[in-house]
Amino acid sequence: MTGLTTHVLDTALGKPAEGLTIELFKIEGELRTHLKTVVTNSDGRVDGGPILIGDSFVAGTYELLFRAGDYLRASGVKLAEPAFLDLVPIRFGIADTTAHYHVPLLISPYSYSTYRGS
């Protein structure tokens, strides 16, 4: 499979992060262009397959912006104002358009981590 996918896990609750809004941007120099907004399903994934695929899956720099604060508040977590983590941006590069790029996010109210998954 080629394309860009993501998966969000709530490590504080030990389950997928359902209902988390993610925005995808293409970065070109100082220009940041919004490409798509998606929401995670009950498995913490995005319905409909890869976020980028086919002709839209081109080499370049991208950013996934995870609206973690909104998700955590909706999950009943009481956050300080301002929240320690509200918006979590992950900027990454796509060099090989024949490959699968999986960018998962592990989130809790006070930490997050990511890696290039498979």
Side-chain angles (χ1 to χ4, degrees):
M1 172 183 13
T2 64
L4 171 65
T5 58
T6 189
H7 185 201
V8 185
L9 298 174
D10 183 328
T11 56
L13 297 178
K15 65 179 193 172
E18 180 179 8
L20 193 146
T21 300
I22 306 164
E23 295 173 79
L24 173 65
F25 297 89
K26 176 95 162 84
I27 309 299
E28 297 172 289
E30 296 299 314
L31 183 62
R32 186 173 174 250
T33 304
H34 180 265
L35 300 178
K36 187 180 279 190
T37 299
V38 295
V39 178
T40 57
N41 62 22
S42 62
D43 192 36
R45 299 178 189 277
V46 175
D47 289 330
I51 300 170
L52 280 179
I53 194 166
D55 293 341
S56 64
F57 186 63
V58 298
T61 302
Y62 293 85
E63 181 179 281
L64 287 170
L65 181 65
F66 297 85
R67 296 197 166 273
D70 292 345
Y71 159 78
L72 291 166
R73 287 181 195 92
S75 298
V77 176
K78 299 227 185 286
L79 299 176
E81 290 301 332
F84 181 70
L85 293 177
D86 190 18
L87 301 175
V88 176
I90 299 176
R91 193 167 284 193
F92 58 96
I94 292 175
D96 180 0
T97 58
T98 66
H100 176 209
Y101 284 76
H102 183 65
V103 183
L105 179 70
L106 307 175
I107 188 79
S108 78
Y110 295 98
S111 69
Y112 72 89
S113 64
T114 190
Y115 53 93
R116 181 169 176 194
S118 59

